Short mmCIF file of all heavy atoms in Angstrom, two decimals:
data_model
loop_
_atom_site.label_atom_id
_atom_site.label_comp_id
_atom_site.label_asym_id
_atom_site.label_seq_id
_atom_site.Cartn_x
_atom_site.Cartn_y
_atom_site.Cartn_z
N MET T 1 105.93 96.07 88.22
CA MET T 1 106.23 94.72 88.64
C MET T 1 105.79 94.50 90.09
O MET T 1 105.34 93.42 90.42
CB MET T 1 107.74 94.50 88.47
CG MET T 1 108.14 93.10 88.70
SD MET T 1 107.43 92.07 87.43
CE MET T 1 108.42 90.68 87.51
N THR T 2 105.91 95.52 90.90
CA THR T 2 105.50 95.39 92.30
C THR T 2 103.99 95.17 92.41
O THR T 2 103.54 94.41 93.25
CB THR T 2 105.91 96.64 93.09
OG1 THR T 2 107.30 96.85 92.91
CG2 THR T 2 105.62 96.47 94.56
N GLY T 3 103.22 95.85 91.55
CA GLY T 3 101.77 95.68 91.56
C GLY T 3 101.37 94.25 91.26
O GLY T 3 100.47 93.70 91.89
N PHE T 4 102.06 93.63 90.29
CA PHE T 4 101.76 92.24 89.95
C PHE T 4 102.10 91.31 91.10
O PHE T 4 101.33 90.39 91.41
CB PHE T 4 102.52 91.84 88.70
CG PHE T 4 102.25 90.42 88.28
CD1 PHE T 4 101.05 90.08 87.71
CD2 PHE T 4 103.19 89.44 88.48
CE1 PHE T 4 100.78 88.77 87.33
CE2 PHE T 4 102.94 88.13 88.11
CZ PHE T 4 101.74 87.80 87.54
N LEU T 5 103.23 91.54 91.77
CA LEU T 5 103.62 90.68 92.89
C LEU T 5 102.65 90.83 94.07
O LEU T 5 102.27 89.84 94.70
CB LEU T 5 105.04 91.01 93.34
CG LEU T 5 106.13 90.65 92.33
CD1 LEU T 5 107.48 91.13 92.83
CD2 LEU T 5 106.15 89.17 92.07
N MET T 6 102.23 92.06 94.33
CA MET T 6 101.27 92.27 95.41
C MET T 6 99.90 91.68 95.05
O MET T 6 99.19 91.18 95.92
CB MET T 6 101.14 93.77 95.72
CG MET T 6 102.38 94.36 96.34
SD MET T 6 102.86 93.54 97.87
CE MET T 6 101.53 93.99 98.93
N ALA T 7 99.54 91.73 93.76
CA ALA T 7 98.29 91.13 93.33
C ALA T 7 98.34 89.62 93.50
O ALA T 7 97.36 89.00 93.95
CB ALA T 7 98.01 91.49 91.88
N ALA T 8 99.45 89.02 93.15
CA ALA T 8 99.60 87.58 93.34
C ALA T 8 99.52 87.22 94.82
O ALA T 8 98.88 86.23 95.19
CB ALA T 8 100.93 87.10 92.75
N LEU T 9 100.13 88.03 95.67
CA LEU T 9 100.07 87.79 97.11
C LEU T 9 98.63 87.94 97.61
O LEU T 9 98.16 87.12 98.42
CB LEU T 9 100.99 88.77 97.85
CG LEU T 9 101.02 88.65 99.36
CD1 LEU T 9 101.61 87.30 99.77
CD2 LEU T 9 101.82 89.78 99.95
N SER T 10 97.90 88.93 97.12
CA SER T 10 96.51 89.11 97.53
C SER T 10 95.64 87.95 97.10
O SER T 10 94.77 87.50 97.84
CB SER T 10 95.95 90.41 96.94
OG SER T 10 96.59 91.52 97.50
N LEU T 11 95.87 87.44 95.89
CA LEU T 11 95.11 86.29 95.43
C LEU T 11 95.43 85.05 96.25
O LEU T 11 94.54 84.25 96.56
CB LEU T 11 95.37 86.03 93.95
CG LEU T 11 94.65 86.97 92.98
CD1 LEU T 11 95.11 86.70 91.57
CD2 LEU T 11 93.16 86.81 93.10
N LEU T 12 96.69 84.88 96.63
CA LEU T 12 97.05 83.74 97.48
C LEU T 12 96.40 83.84 98.85
O LEU T 12 95.94 82.83 99.40
CB LEU T 12 98.57 83.65 97.62
CG LEU T 12 99.32 83.15 96.39
CD1 LEU T 12 100.83 83.23 96.62
CD2 LEU T 12 98.90 81.74 96.05
N VAL T 13 96.34 85.05 99.41
CA VAL T 13 95.68 85.23 100.70
C VAL T 13 94.19 84.93 100.57
O VAL T 13 93.59 84.27 101.44
CB VAL T 13 95.91 86.66 101.23
CG1 VAL T 13 95.02 86.97 102.41
CG2 VAL T 13 97.37 86.84 101.62
N ALA T 14 93.56 85.37 99.49
CA ALA T 14 92.14 85.10 99.28
C ALA T 14 91.89 83.61 99.14
O ALA T 14 90.94 83.07 99.72
CB ALA T 14 91.63 85.85 98.05
N LEU T 15 92.73 82.92 98.39
CA LEU T 15 92.58 81.47 98.25
C LEU T 15 92.82 80.75 99.57
O LEU T 15 92.11 79.80 99.91
CB LEU T 15 93.52 80.94 97.18
CG LEU T 15 93.15 81.31 95.74
CD1 LEU T 15 94.25 80.85 94.79
CD2 LEU T 15 91.82 80.72 95.37
N GLY T 16 93.80 81.19 100.33
CA GLY T 16 94.06 80.61 101.65
C GLY T 16 92.88 80.81 102.59
O GLY T 16 92.50 79.90 103.34
N TYR T 17 92.29 82.00 102.53
CA TYR T 17 91.12 82.28 103.37
C TYR T 17 89.95 81.42 102.96
O TYR T 17 89.19 80.93 103.81
CB TYR T 17 90.77 83.77 103.26
CG TYR T 17 89.88 84.27 104.37
CD1 TYR T 17 90.42 84.64 105.60
CD2 TYR T 17 88.52 84.36 104.21
CE1 TYR T 17 89.61 85.10 106.62
CE2 TYR T 17 87.70 84.81 105.22
CZ TYR T 17 88.26 85.18 106.43
OH TYR T 17 87.46 85.61 107.45
N LEU T 18 89.79 81.20 101.64
CA LEU T 18 88.72 80.34 101.15
C LEU T 18 88.90 78.90 101.64
O LEU T 18 87.95 78.27 102.11
CB LEU T 18 88.67 80.38 99.63
CG LEU T 18 87.65 79.46 98.96
CD1 LEU T 18 86.23 79.88 99.33
CD2 LEU T 18 87.85 79.45 97.47
N VAL T 19 90.12 78.39 101.57
CA VAL T 19 90.39 77.03 102.03
C VAL T 19 90.15 76.93 103.54
O VAL T 19 89.55 75.97 104.02
CB VAL T 19 91.83 76.61 101.66
CG1 VAL T 19 92.24 75.33 102.36
CG2 VAL T 19 91.97 76.47 100.16
N TYR T 20 90.60 77.94 104.29
CA TYR T 20 90.39 77.94 105.74
C TYR T 20 88.90 77.97 106.08
O TYR T 20 88.45 77.29 106.99
CB TYR T 20 91.10 79.15 106.36
CG TYR T 20 91.09 79.15 107.86
CD1 TYR T 20 91.90 78.27 108.57
CD2 TYR T 20 90.27 80.02 108.57
CE1 TYR T 20 91.89 78.26 109.95
CE2 TYR T 20 90.25 80.01 109.94
CZ TYR T 20 91.07 79.13 110.63
OH TYR T 20 91.04 79.13 111.99
N LYS T 21 88.14 78.74 105.29
CA LYS T 21 86.69 78.80 105.50
C LYS T 21 86.05 77.44 105.23
O LYS T 21 85.16 76.99 105.96
CB LYS T 21 86.08 79.87 104.60
CG LYS T 21 84.58 79.84 104.45
CD LYS T 21 83.86 80.14 105.74
CE LYS T 21 82.36 80.14 105.50
NZ LYS T 21 81.60 80.20 106.70
N LEU T 22 86.49 76.77 104.17
CA LEU T 22 85.90 75.46 103.84
C LEU T 22 86.25 74.41 104.88
O LEU T 22 85.46 73.51 105.16
CB LEU T 22 86.36 75.02 102.45
CG LEU T 22 85.80 75.84 101.29
CD1 LEU T 22 86.43 75.39 99.98
CD2 LEU T 22 84.30 75.76 101.23
N LEU T 23 87.45 74.50 105.48
CA LEU T 23 87.85 73.53 106.49
C LEU T 23 87.19 73.78 107.84
O LEU T 23 86.92 72.85 108.59
CB LEU T 23 89.38 73.54 106.64
CG LEU T 23 90.16 73.01 105.44
CD1 LEU T 23 91.65 73.17 105.69
CD2 LEU T 23 89.81 71.56 105.15
N HIS T 24 86.95 75.04 108.18
CA HIS T 24 86.36 75.42 109.47
C HIS T 24 85.04 76.15 109.22
O HIS T 24 84.89 77.33 109.55
CB HIS T 24 87.33 76.31 110.25
CG HIS T 24 88.66 75.68 110.48
ND1 HIS T 24 88.85 74.68 111.41
CD2 HIS T 24 89.85 75.87 109.89
CE1 HIS T 24 90.12 74.31 111.39
NE2 HIS T 24 90.74 75.01 110.46
N TRP T 25 84.08 75.44 108.65
CA TRP T 25 82.84 76.04 108.17
C TRP T 25 82.04 76.71 109.30
O TRP T 25 81.50 77.80 109.12
CB TRP T 25 81.99 74.96 107.50
CG TRP T 25 80.80 75.51 106.80
CD1 TRP T 25 79.53 75.62 107.29
CD2 TRP T 25 80.75 76.04 105.47
NE1 TRP T 25 78.71 76.16 106.36
CE2 TRP T 25 79.43 76.44 105.24
CE3 TRP T 25 81.71 76.22 104.49
CZ2 TRP T 25 79.05 77.01 104.03
CZ3 TRP T 25 81.32 76.78 103.29
CH2 TRP T 25 80.00 77.17 103.08
N GLY T 26 81.97 76.10 110.45
CA GLY T 26 81.10 76.62 111.51
C GLY T 26 81.68 77.74 112.35
O GLY T 26 80.97 78.36 113.13
N SER T 27 82.96 78.06 112.20
CA SER T 27 83.57 79.05 113.08
C SER T 27 83.54 80.47 112.53
O SER T 27 84.04 81.38 113.18
CB SER T 27 85.03 78.66 113.36
OG SER T 27 85.79 78.69 112.16
N PHE T 28 82.94 80.69 111.36
CA PHE T 28 82.86 82.02 110.77
C PHE T 28 81.44 82.53 110.82
O PHE T 28 80.48 81.76 110.75
CB PHE T 28 83.30 82.00 109.30
CG PHE T 28 84.78 81.93 109.11
CD1 PHE T 28 85.42 80.71 108.97
CD2 PHE T 28 85.53 83.08 109.06
CE1 PHE T 28 86.77 80.63 108.79
CE2 PHE T 28 86.89 83.02 108.88
CZ PHE T 28 87.51 81.80 108.75
N GLN T 29 81.30 83.84 110.93
CA GLN T 29 79.98 84.44 110.84
C GLN T 29 79.53 84.41 109.38
O GLN T 29 80.34 84.40 108.47
CB GLN T 29 80.01 85.88 111.33
CG GLN T 29 80.30 86.02 112.80
CD GLN T 29 80.34 87.47 113.22
OE1 GLN T 29 80.27 88.37 112.40
NE2 GLN T 29 80.48 87.69 114.51
N VAL T 30 78.24 84.46 109.18
CA VAL T 30 77.70 84.42 107.82
C VAL T 30 78.07 85.71 107.08
O VAL T 30 77.89 86.80 107.59
CB VAL T 30 76.16 84.26 107.87
CG1 VAL T 30 75.57 84.32 106.47
CG2 VAL T 30 75.80 82.96 108.55
N GLY T 31 78.64 85.55 105.89
CA GLY T 31 78.96 86.68 105.04
C GLY T 31 80.35 87.24 105.19
O GLY T 31 80.75 88.09 104.39
N VAL T 32 81.11 86.83 106.18
CA VAL T 32 82.45 87.38 106.38
C VAL T 32 83.43 86.85 105.34
O VAL T 32 84.19 87.62 104.75
CB VAL T 32 82.95 87.08 107.81
CG1 VAL T 32 84.39 87.51 107.98
CG2 VAL T 32 82.08 87.78 108.83
N ALA T 33 83.39 85.55 105.07
CA ALA T 33 84.34 84.97 104.13
C ALA T 33 84.17 85.51 102.71
O ALA T 33 85.15 85.92 102.09
CB ALA T 33 84.23 83.44 104.14
N PRO T 34 82.95 85.58 102.16
CA PRO T 34 82.83 86.15 100.81
C PRO T 34 83.25 87.61 100.75
O PRO T 34 83.80 88.06 99.74
CB PRO T 34 81.35 86.01 100.48
CG PRO T 34 80.82 85.00 101.40
CD PRO T 34 81.68 85.03 102.61
N LEU T 35 82.99 88.34 101.81
CA LEU T 35 83.38 89.75 101.84
C LEU T 35 84.89 89.90 101.79
O LEU T 35 85.43 90.68 100.99
CB LEU T 35 82.81 90.41 103.10
CG LEU T 35 83.08 91.89 103.26
CD1 LEU T 35 82.33 92.67 102.19
CD2 LEU T 35 82.66 92.34 104.64
N VAL T 36 85.60 89.16 102.62
CA VAL T 36 87.05 89.24 102.66
C VAL T 36 87.67 88.75 101.35
O VAL T 36 88.58 89.37 100.80
CB VAL T 36 87.62 88.46 103.86
CG1 VAL T 36 89.12 88.36 103.81
CG2 VAL T 36 87.19 89.11 105.16
N ILE T 37 87.16 87.65 100.83
CA ILE T 37 87.68 87.11 99.57
C ILE T 37 87.44 88.09 98.43
O ILE T 37 88.31 88.33 97.60
CB ILE T 37 87.05 85.73 99.28
CG1 ILE T 37 87.56 84.72 100.29
CG2 ILE T 37 87.36 85.27 97.86
CD1 ILE T 37 86.81 83.42 100.29
N GLY T 38 86.26 88.70 98.39
CA GLY T 38 85.97 89.70 97.36
C GLY T 38 86.85 90.92 97.46
O GLY T 38 87.32 91.45 96.45
N ILE T 39 87.09 91.38 98.67
CA ILE T 39 87.96 92.55 98.85
C ILE T 39 89.37 92.25 98.37
O ILE T 39 89.98 93.05 97.64
CB ILE T 39 87.96 93.00 100.33
CG1 ILE T 39 86.63 93.65 100.68
CG2 ILE T 39 89.11 93.96 100.62
CD1 ILE T 39 86.45 93.94 102.15
N TYR T 40 89.91 91.10 98.75
CA TYR T 40 91.26 90.75 98.31
C TYR T 40 91.32 90.55 96.80
O TYR T 40 92.28 90.95 96.15
CB TYR T 40 91.76 89.49 99.01
CG TYR T 40 92.39 89.77 100.35
CD1 TYR T 40 91.77 89.36 101.53
CD2 TYR T 40 93.60 90.43 100.45
CE1 TYR T 40 92.33 89.61 102.76
CE2 TYR T 40 94.17 90.69 101.68
CZ TYR T 40 93.53 90.28 102.82
OH TYR T 40 94.09 90.53 104.03
N PHE T 41 90.28 89.95 96.22
CA PHE T 41 90.28 89.73 94.77
C PHE T 41 90.25 91.06 94.01
O PHE T 41 91.04 91.29 93.10
CB PHE T 41 89.09 88.86 94.36
CG PHE T 41 88.96 88.71 92.88
CD1 PHE T 41 89.84 87.91 92.19
CD2 PHE T 41 87.98 89.39 92.19
CE1 PHE T 41 89.74 87.77 90.81
CE2 PHE T 41 87.86 89.25 90.82
CZ PHE T 41 88.75 88.45 90.13
N PHE T 42 89.32 91.95 94.39
CA PHE T 42 89.23 93.22 93.67
C PHE T 42 90.44 94.11 93.93
O PHE T 42 90.86 94.87 93.06
CB PHE T 42 87.93 93.93 94.01
CG PHE T 42 86.74 93.29 93.36
CD1 PHE T 42 85.72 92.76 94.11
CD2 PHE T 42 86.66 93.20 91.98
CE1 PHE T 42 84.63 92.15 93.52
CE2 PHE T 42 85.58 92.60 91.36
CZ PHE T 42 84.56 92.07 92.14
N ALA T 43 91.03 94.00 95.12
CA ALA T 43 92.26 94.75 95.37
C ALA T 43 93.39 94.23 94.49
O ALA T 43 94.19 95.02 93.97
CB ALA T 43 92.65 94.63 96.84
N SER T 44 93.45 92.93 94.27
CA SER T 44 94.49 92.38 93.41
C SER T 44 94.29 92.80 91.96
O SER T 44 95.25 93.11 91.26
CB SER T 44 94.55 90.86 93.53
OG SER T 44 93.38 90.28 93.01
N VAL T 45 93.04 92.86 91.51
CA VAL T 45 92.78 93.32 90.14
C VAL T 45 93.19 94.78 89.99
O VAL T 45 93.82 95.17 89.00
CB VAL T 45 91.28 93.12 89.79
CG1 VAL T 45 90.92 93.81 88.48
CG2 VAL T 45 90.95 91.65 89.72
N GLN T 46 92.89 95.60 90.98
CA GLN T 46 93.30 97.00 90.93
C GLN T 46 94.82 97.13 90.92
O GLN T 46 95.37 97.96 90.18
CB GLN T 46 92.73 97.76 92.12
CG GLN T 46 91.27 98.04 92.02
CD GLN T 46 90.74 98.78 93.23
OE1 GLN T 46 91.41 98.87 94.26
NE2 GLN T 46 89.54 99.31 93.11
N LEU T 47 95.50 96.33 91.72
CA LEU T 47 96.96 96.39 91.74
C LEU T 47 97.57 95.98 90.41
O LEU T 47 98.57 96.55 89.97
CB LEU T 47 97.51 95.53 92.87
CG LEU T 47 97.34 96.09 94.27
CD1 LEU T 47 97.72 95.04 95.30
CD2 LEU T 47 98.16 97.34 94.45
N ILE T 48 96.97 95.00 89.74
CA ILE T 48 97.47 94.59 88.43
C ILE T 48 97.35 95.75 87.45
O ILE T 48 98.30 96.08 86.73
CB ILE T 48 96.71 93.36 87.90
CG1 ILE T 48 97.13 92.11 88.69
CG2 ILE T 48 96.97 93.15 86.42
CD1 ILE T 48 96.30 90.89 88.38
N PHE T 49 96.20 96.42 87.43
CA PHE T 49 96.02 97.51 86.49
C PHE T 49 96.85 98.74 86.85
O PHE T 49 97.32 99.45 85.96
CB PHE T 49 94.54 97.86 86.35
CG PHE T 49 93.80 96.89 85.49
CD1 PHE T 49 92.87 96.03 86.05
CD2 PHE T 49 94.07 96.79 84.14
CE1 PHE T 49 92.21 95.11 85.27
CE2 PHE T 49 93.40 95.88 83.34
CZ PHE T 49 92.47 95.03 83.90
N ILE T 50 97.07 98.99 88.12
CA ILE T 50 97.97 100.07 88.51
C ILE T 50 99.39 99.76 88.07
O ILE T 50 100.13 100.64 87.62
CB ILE T 50 97.89 100.33 90.03
CG1 ILE T 50 96.56 100.98 90.38
CG2 ILE T 50 99.04 101.21 90.50
CD1 ILE T 50 96.30 101.10 91.86
N GLY T 51 99.79 98.50 88.16
CA GLY T 51 101.11 98.10 87.67
C GLY T 51 101.24 98.27 86.17
O GLY T 51 102.27 98.71 85.66
N ILE T 52 100.18 97.93 85.43
CA ILE T 52 100.20 98.13 83.97
C ILE T 52 100.29 99.61 83.65
O ILE T 52 101.07 100.01 82.77
CB ILE T 52 98.94 97.49 83.34
CG1 ILE T 52 99.03 95.97 83.44
CG2 ILE T 52 98.79 97.92 81.88
CD1 ILE T 52 97.76 95.25 83.04
N LEU T 53 99.53 100.44 84.35
CA LEU T 53 99.63 101.88 84.13
C LEU T 53 101.01 102.41 84.47
O LEU T 53 101.55 103.28 83.77
CB LEU T 53 98.58 102.61 84.98
CG LEU T 53 97.17 102.63 84.44
CD1 LEU T 53 96.22 103.24 85.46
CD2 LEU T 53 97.10 103.39 83.14
N GLY T 54 101.60 101.91 85.52
CA GLY T 54 102.95 102.33 85.89
C GLY T 54 103.98 101.97 84.84
O GLY T 54 104.89 102.74 84.54
N GLU T 55 103.84 100.78 84.26
CA GLU T 55 104.75 100.39 83.19
C GLU T 55 104.54 101.23 81.94
O GLU T 55 105.46 101.50 81.21
CB GLU T 55 104.56 98.90 82.83
CG GLU T 55 105.04 97.95 83.92
CD GLU T 55 106.53 98.00 84.10
OE1 GLU T 55 107.26 98.17 83.10
OE2 GLU T 55 106.98 97.87 85.25
N TYR T 56 103.31 101.65 81.68
CA TYR T 56 103.01 102.45 80.51
C TYR T 56 103.46 103.90 80.69
O TYR T 56 104.06 104.49 79.80
CB TYR T 56 101.51 102.42 80.24
CG TYR T 56 101.07 103.27 79.08
CD1 TYR T 56 101.34 102.89 77.78
CD2 TYR T 56 100.37 104.45 79.29
CE1 TYR T 56 100.95 103.66 76.70
CE2 TYR T 56 99.97 105.24 78.24
CZ TYR T 56 100.26 104.83 76.94
OH TYR T 56 99.87 105.62 75.91
N ILE T 57 103.20 104.48 81.85
CA ILE T 57 103.52 105.89 82.10
C ILE T 57 104.97 106.08 82.52
O ILE T 57 105.59 107.08 82.17
CB ILE T 57 102.56 106.46 83.18
CG1 ILE T 57 101.14 106.47 82.64
CG2 ILE T 57 102.98 107.84 83.59
CD1 ILE T 57 100.11 106.85 83.66
N GLY T 58 105.52 105.13 83.24
CA GLY T 58 106.87 105.27 83.79
C GLY T 58 107.95 105.64 82.78
O GLY T 58 108.67 106.61 82.99
N PRO T 59 108.09 104.92 81.67
CA PRO T 59 109.15 105.25 80.72
C PRO T 59 108.98 106.62 80.07
O PRO T 59 109.96 107.25 79.69
CB PRO T 59 109.06 104.17 79.66
CG PRO T 59 108.39 103.03 80.35
CD PRO T 59 107.47 103.66 81.34
N SER T 60 107.77 107.11 79.94
CA SER T 60 107.58 108.41 79.28
C SER T 60 107.95 109.58 80.17
O SER T 60 108.14 110.68 79.69
CB SER T 60 106.12 108.54 78.82
OG SER T 60 105.26 108.59 79.93
N THR T 61 108.06 109.36 81.47
CA THR T 61 108.42 110.46 82.36
C THR T 61 109.91 110.54 82.65
O THR T 61 110.36 111.48 83.28
CB THR T 61 107.66 110.34 83.70
OG1 THR T 61 107.99 109.09 84.30
CG2 THR T 61 106.16 110.41 83.46
N ARG T 62 110.68 109.55 82.20
CA ARG T 62 112.13 109.57 82.42
C ARG T 62 112.81 110.47 81.41
O ARG T 62 112.47 110.50 80.25
CB ARG T 62 112.70 108.16 82.33
CG ARG T 62 112.20 107.25 83.39
CD ARG T 62 112.86 105.90 83.27
NE ARG T 62 112.15 104.96 84.12
CZ ARG T 62 111.98 103.70 83.84
NH1 ARG T 62 112.49 103.18 82.73
NH2 ARG T 62 111.32 102.91 84.65
N ARG T 63 113.81 111.20 81.87
CA ARG T 63 114.59 112.04 80.97
C ARG T 63 115.95 111.42 80.76
O ARG T 63 116.62 110.98 81.70
CB ARG T 63 114.75 113.44 81.54
CG ARG T 63 113.42 114.15 81.67
CD ARG T 63 113.66 115.56 82.15
NE ARG T 63 112.37 116.19 82.35
CZ ARG T 63 111.95 117.19 81.61
NH1 ARG T 63 112.71 117.67 80.66
NH2 ARG T 63 110.78 117.72 81.83
N CYS T 64 116.37 111.38 79.53
CA CYS T 64 117.67 110.79 79.20
C CYS T 64 118.73 111.85 79.07
O CYS T 64 118.55 112.92 78.65
CB CYS T 64 117.57 110.00 77.88
SG CYS T 64 116.48 108.58 78.06
#
């Protein structure tokens, strides 16, 4: 569950950065905005899949 929440937060940061880039077009160096947005997007995808793996593996390692 934490992976999904962190992924949602990463996607929100990427979208916020995209909006900030569109509003202040001339104040960024060329290539910085796509790089940062891509890093946050792929990090969020990784966090989602790590969360899915944690949900899958977690119950099998618990002892009752």
Side-chain angles (χ1 to χ4, degrees):
M1 188 66 160
T2 305
F4 180 73
L5 293 175
M6 292 302 293
L9 180 65
S10 293
L11 283 174
L12 286 175
V13 168
L15 288 174
Y17 198 83
L18 176 65
V19 169
Y20 187 73
K21 166 65 178 171
L22 292 174
L23 292 176
H24 303 285
W25 189 265
S27 64
F28 283 93
Q29 294 179 354
V30 176
V32 173
L35 182 68
V36 172
I37 291 168
I39 287 171
Y40 275 111
F41 175 73
F42 286 118
S44 67
V45 170
Q46 286 179 346
L47 286 171
I48 287 172
F49 283 111
I50 289 172
I52 291 171
L53 281 173
E55 290 293 325
Y56 177 73
I57 295 173
S60 66
T61 59
R62 295 183 193 146
R63 296 184 184 247
C64 295

